[in-house]
Amino acid sequence: MKALFLGFFCLLALASNAQQRTFKILNANTQEPIIGASLSHDNKIIALSNERGEFVLRSLQSSEEYVISSLGFQALKLKGTDFNFIIQLEEASTDLTAVLVTASRQAAVRTETPVAIHKISSTLLQDTKAIQLTEIINKVPGVVMLNYNNEQHAMGIRQPFGTSPYFLYMEDGLPLRPLGVFNHNALIETNLQGLNSIEVIKGPASSLYGPEAVGGAINLISKMAPGIPTASIGFQADEWGYARTQFTAGGPFSKKWALMTGGYVARQKNAWASNSDFDKSSINIRLDYQISPHTKLWSSFAYNDYFSQTGGNIDSLGYYSRSYKSPADFTYRSSFSTRSRITLEHKGSNNSFSSLTAFYRDNSLGQNPAYSIAWTAPSTSASGQINSNSFTSLGIMGQHSRQFTWLDSKIILGFLFDRSPNTYWAYKINLTATLRPDKKSVEHYEIAQLLPTTYLSNYQAIIWNKAIYAQWDIHPLEQLRISLGGRLDDMSFDYSNYMDQSTGNKSYTQFSPKIGMTYEANQHVGFYANYSKGFSPPALSAVFRLRPAAQAISTGEKFYLSIDPAVFDNYEVGGWASLFQSKVFLDYSIYRLNGQNELLGIRQPDNSTDYQSAGKTLHEGIEYAISYRPNNQWNLRLGATNARHIFVDFVLSQKASDALKNVNNKEMPQAPHFIANVEISYKPNWVKGARVALEWQRISSWYQNQVNTVAYSDAGFAGLPGVSVLNVRLAYQWKAYQVFMNVMNLSNELYANSASRGNNAQDKSTYTPAAPRTINMGLQVDISSLFKLK
């Protein structure tokens, strides 16, 4: 009888399981599983999606209506008869106002984050079909990412655009480079094809992310494994010799294991500018292992191999004649990097979350840089350099957060330890200069002599980065949230300087606090304010560089070992509003950033560029983003900033014989007062799968030199001075196939991405020309859909 009852209950269990149905909730753009999505019926939550993005349900009432929702996605209403195994949710917006951000190193609601942060969604990434990151990052208000061609770039976030080391580049919250080895071109070491989204934090974020996060921080968030098998391949090319093949593939191969990979191979030959060929291979791989419903282990690997000729700046004759012929056809940049990490994540009780990451980085950058060429009119000789900067890193990073019922508070604790041996050398090369008839500019340089034993810099160092940080968020009132945070950084290096055969140790220690608050007046309007401190020690390549004569001091010191770290104080208020039934969204911030010992790249009398430390600087402005979405077909987005950047106390020279010794109260070069990016997009319901977008990039005129005697104010589209450019993007998807065409610089304007000159009256302007009208066309094929892998 006992066996009979046991068998009967087993049959009941089998019958019950047979009635269970599983539904997988996925991001419609990336096919990634959505964890924690809710299924509601009659305003009651009846299920939450698990770690695989799945609902497991016993039954559904066929005539009843259910709602599937998740933060950051559009809610979906379905009747019981409409449920399929795969259910896809669209992102809540296609602009920069996505709901979820990770400014606190963990996912949080934007309206509870007291910083200026913008998120570039996966939808916007897919719609833009960008060749390089500049096309994406420039959509963020207050940001100028200069296109130096071939994915090379400079940056400006609450700073003049250029090469200053006050921006932190990260991949999934981990810096691409160790502290002290900054490179403004570091984003060439990343893979656009492997990105899910991008977050841009504006203003100092040193209290959590550490030094160099002064003007801002850019966090590239990589793709996770999709919830179903996916694979795609694409090809794009333009009329200037650029071609790229790209791919993505991934999916789960068991209930616990999942894989994602993506990459591309790009090449350019015989483009519109001379000396501009380049090759790049890039791939990202991510492997996830779900140990339990609350514990996950994942690892990633990134590989980037890059080589590019570098045309450098050209003079006014080459620029205005549109010949774009580089005077130096031997300059180049070569970069190789790999990054690997393994991360353990655990969700505990009391809404706690812990993560522990071990990481390794291997990076080498070699170049013959055009910016290092030193020439003074009317000499027929010049000099340059060949240099190499390489490092390896081994480190560990950990973080723990926990929620408390008292004042609905939350605390975040974290640490970082990083050991990075670094080697740098630069040796001199002599050049011959063929002058133009006026003897005031150079038509062509040639290498006359390599001097591999004549070092301009030569050192080895072991860099130690150690940091601990904490953040405490409290909710004393229903509408009010207060955030208190701070980070203690200790960066030191043991060095051997082969220029003077010296050895020693140098260290920089800094505590970076932050206090912020958000106030939600109601569910549609909110405000925030914060004070934060930014900190950045000088890069080692600046520390061990010989001083130019104009910067020599009475002690006869040859090197920059005495340079103090740059420190910034940021004061900021802002807010957001959702108006007209959420059809209009406004986000704004007003900031004042005071700098001390700011390190800048300054044009020297011989036209080369070198580092100088400013005494005091001021950066202030207002940033604003407005989006209008009247229906599901139209979307209008405006992002803009009005700002000014001033030298408060800045010494150019300490030589008594120099007439110009400071530029106090002058505007900083390459610091436009107004920047805007406007885009209107249309996805017609009557042509499903089609998209049309018109974009306008606007940068007002700027001073080219520190003494404010010459401005770049050439007329662009509609006759506006500075930069005024139109771009058009067209796309159409039919089943598994997507074709697209991007027309950049639609009206074929002549404009410069950068224009600068020295402070002497006889100095000449040099330009980094932007591309003429470029038509990029491509085809993307969803192989998984084509072969019905889903």
Side-chain angles (χ1 to χ4, degrees), residues 102-176:
T102 58
S104 62
R105 287 186 177 269
Q106 288 186 3
V109 180
R110 168 66 182 92
T111 54
E112 295 180 353
T113 307
V115 297
I117 182 171
H118 285 267
K119 183 171 183 177
I120 299 169
S121 66
S122 61
T123 301
L124 190 58
L125 280 172
Q126 291 190 23
D127 286 348
T128 303
K129 295 293 186 298
I131 287 180
Q132 55 187 35
L133 279 170
T134 53
E135 300 174 46
I136 296 292
I137 302 297
N138 283 329
K139 296 178 184 295
V140 177
V143 178
V144 174
M145 184 177 180
L146 291 182
N147 181 356
Y148 282 171
N149 303 316
N150 297 357
E151 299 192 22
Q152 299 167 109
H153 60 88
M155 188 65 66
I157 308 175
R158 295 191 176 178
Q159 295 267 319
F161 53 76
T163 60
S164 58
Y166 299 127
F167 315 107
L168 183 63
Y169 303 142
M170 298 177 291
E171 186 177 58
D172 297 320
L174 185 66
L176 295 177

Side-chain angles (χ1 to χ4, degrees), residues 366-388:
Q367 56 181 345
N368 184 336
Y371 62 78
S372 71
I373 295 177
W375 171 80
T376 304
S379 176
T380 57
S381 63
S383 66
Q385 64 173 261
I386 294 176
N387 63 48
S388 173

Side-chain angles (χ1 to χ4, degrees), residues 535-547:
F535 155 69
S536 183
L540 267 65
S541 57
V543 167
F544 292 107
R545 187 175 299 218
L546 286 168
R547 289 179 183 269

Side-chain angles (χ1 to χ4, degrees), residues 482-519:
I482 298 174
S483 179
L484 305 171
R487 175 171 170 137
L488 179 64
D489 282 278
D490 179 68
M491 179 265 199
S492 63
F493 54 91
D494 305 311
Y495 68 88
S496 295
N497 185 1
Y498 301 117
M499 296 293 289
D500 60 3
Q501 303 304 315
S502 64
T503 60
N505 176 272
K506 182 73 175 176
S507 64
Y508 304 93
T509 302
Q510 179 73 37
F511 176 72
S512 303
K514 183 195 79 170
I515 179 170
M517 57 79 66
T518 60
Y519 180 79

Side-chain angles (χ1 to χ4, degrees), residues 560-739:
Y560 278 119
L561 280 173
S562 61
I563 277 185
D564 293 323
V567 180
F568 297 80
D569 291 286
N570 182 72
Y571 306 88
E572 182 175 348
V573 295
W576 61 89
S578 179
L579 309 172
F580 305 108
Q581 297 180 334
S582 298
K583 291 182 178 180
V584 176
F585 189 92
L586 169 67
D587 191 348
Y588 64 92
S589 58
I590 304 169
Y591 69 91
R592 183 182 179 92
L593 181 65
N594 295 317
Q596 182 81 31
N597 301 317
E598 187 170 333
L599 192 65
L600 303 171
I602 303 297
R603 281 282 293 271
Q604 303 301 310
D606 62 4
N607 293 301
S608 65
T609 302
D610 215 317
Y611 292 108
Q612 249 173 281
S613 184
K616 295 180 181 179
T617 55
L618 171 65
H619 312 272
E620 60 183 4
I622 177 171
E623 301 157 341
Y624 42 97
I626 304 170
S627 65
Y628 174 51
R629 190 177 180 86
N631 52 50
N632 64 350
Q633 298 183 86
W634 292 94
N635 188 65
L636 174 65
R637 174 189 53 77
L638 162 68
T641 184
N642 297 84
R644 68 173 190 149
H645 308 274
I646 304 294
F647 291 117
V648 177
D649 181 10
F650 182 66
V651 177
L652 279 178
S653 176
Q654 297 182 355
K655 290 181 66 178
S657 59
D658 285 345
L660 185 64
K661 294 184 174 60
N662 67 67
V663 286
N664 298 350
N665 300 316
K666 299 286 187 182
E667 291 192 28
M668 301 176 74
Q670 301 198 130
H673 289 174
F674 178 69
I675 300 165
N677 185 279
V678 181
E679 186 175 38
I680 183 168
S681 62
Y682 178 51
K683 295 181 178 180
N685 290 335
W686 52 277
V687 185
K688 188 176 181 181
R691 180 181 186 270
V692 181
L694 177 66
E695 178 186 48
W696 178 50
Q697 179 70 42
R698 173 77 179 116
I699 302 174
S700 66
S701 59
W702 64 84
Y703 284 115
Q704 298 184 39
N705 54 10
Q706 283 78 28
V707 294
N708 297 174
T709 56
V710 179
Y712 176 77
S713 56
D714 291 1
F717 174 76
L720 296 172
V723 174
S724 179
V725 183
L726 289 180
N727 304 315
V728 175
R729 293 182 170 87
L730 309 170
Y732 176 68
Q733 182 160 355
W734 178 75
K735 296 184 178 180
Y737 304 94
Q738 183 176 177
V739 293

